[in-house]
Amino acid sequence: DLPDATILSVSCTGELAISIDYRFAGGFIARGTLARVPLSGGAPRELIEEVQEADWTPDGTQLAIVREVGGRNRLELPAGHVLFETPGWISRARVSPQGDAVAFLHHPLPGDDGGDVMIVDRDGNPRNLSSGWISAGGLAWRPDGEEVWFSAAPAGNAAGLYAVNLSGACRLLGRVTGTLALHDVSRDGHPLVTHIAGRIRTLGLPPGATEERDHSWLDWSRARALSADGTRLLFDETGEGAGARYGVYLRKTDGSPAIR
């Protein structure tokens, strides 16, 4: 009997933190109304609107949340108590197994998933454990709380699986062809990941054409602008093909080769 919802976190006591009306809000961010509901069923109790993420503390009594207030992204634990805020955005906030800190990905630029692996203690003292990742999209604590595991790419977008300890020493756990996205780590230390092998294509119907054409160039072709007469396409490549730091291209819609 639940409304359309997304699960954000499950507590040790069997209670769900869910997001009702969870929707894409731009960039990599989605938001909805945070609610809690027993796993055994019942009506959800709505708590806070426009929440991006939530994670239970180990004892299941409080929730760490991520939301935007006054144009700044905030990490709060409990709700209302700000531990970290940024003009960028925050993702994958996860409370430590001991409940004394929160690990998260800090993305300094809105709309870009590059960033740093950080932790912040309950007094609001942040620490950067690993920085400079051009793409980062998954994070979880090792069960003993001695390491933070995360999926990220130092260049391009083919993310591998890494671990960083609380002193900032980083090690590679594994990589595959394509991209790994970390979701969680089991109690016996097995990571739960998604293996992603995706492409982005740009399609269009140029002037005078009767059939749609594929205007893609490399592996991650995202249309950005079209000239007024429809004969030139401006796009970027942010996958592997354009190299470590992206590329911007101009291509005629008649099928001519793209110019970087």
Side-chain angles (χ1 to χ4, degrees):
D1 299 323
L2 289 177
D4 288 340
T6 294
I7 295 176
L8 300 180
S9 184
V10 182
S11 77
C12 63
T13 60
E15 190 170 16
L16 305 179
I18 64 173
S19 179
I20 299 171
D21 189 28
Y22 194 64
R23 65 203 182 280
F24 181 66
F28 292 85
I29 295 175
R31 301 189 183 108
T33 298
L34 176 65
R36 52 193 297 177
V37 61
L39 187 60
S40 57
R45 180 161 65 92
E46 296 185 5
L47 302 175
I48 306 170
E49 295 181 348
E50 299 299 302
V51 170
Q52 295 163 216
E53 299 188 10
D55 191 45
W56 290 102
T57 53
D59 60 6
T61 62
Q62 295 179 319
L63 282 163
I65 68 168
V66 176
R67 60 174 170 168
E68 186 171 305
V69 177
R72 295 177 69 85
N73 226 213
R74 287 181 173 181
L75 170 59
E76 304 174 5
L77 176 61
H81 179 61
V82 180
L83 298 182
F84 183 83
E85 66 175 358
T86 174
W89 60 291
I90 298 164
S91 70
R92 307 297 190 256
R94 299 291 183 266
V95 183
S96 69
Q98 294 77 26
D100 59 348
V102 183
F104 60 97
L105 297 174
H106 174 223
H107 310 276
L109 296 176
D112 192 295
D113 68 341
D116 310 325
V117 180
M118 298 187 65
I119 61 171
V120 60
D121 64 25
R122 297 291 291 264
D123 294 324
N125 300 306
R127 189 147 41 104
N128 193 326
L129 297 182
S130 185
S131 61
W133 299 92
I134 197 168
S135 176
L139 181 147
W141 287 88
R142 200 174 74 183
D144 61 7
E146 295 298 316
E147 283 186 328
V148 176
W149 290 12
F150 61 100
S151 49
N157 70 347
L161 187 61
Y162 296 85
V164 61
N165 66 22
L166 303 187
S167 298
C170 189
R171 63 191 179 101
L172 174 68
L173 296 176
R175 68 164 63 97
V176 297
T177 301
T179 294
L180 292 178
L182 176 66
H183 299 284
D184 206 351
V185 180
S186 68
R187 291 180 180 178
D188 58 355
H190 287 81
L192 179 68
V193 300
T194 300
H195 179 205
I196 304 166
R199 297 173 65 92
I200 288 182
R201 298 168 64 200
T202 291
L203 307 176
L205 190 68
T210 58
E211 294 183 356
E212 190 175 63
R213 291 178 183 170
D214 188 342
H215 299 291
S216 309
W217 186 240
L218 301 175
D219 58 336
W220 212 256
S221 303
R222 297 189 299 178
R224 292 302 187 182
L226 190 65
S227 63
D229 60 4
T231 63
R232 289 174 297 164
L233 174 69
L234 185 70
F235 63 97
D236 58 28
E237 291 279 356
T238 57
E240 292 296 296
R245 294 288 171 181
Y246 312 155
V248 178
Y249 293 80
L250 187 67
R251 188 178 193 186
K252 291 182 178 181
T253 54
D254 63 4
S256 303
I259 298 171
R260 183 165 180 146

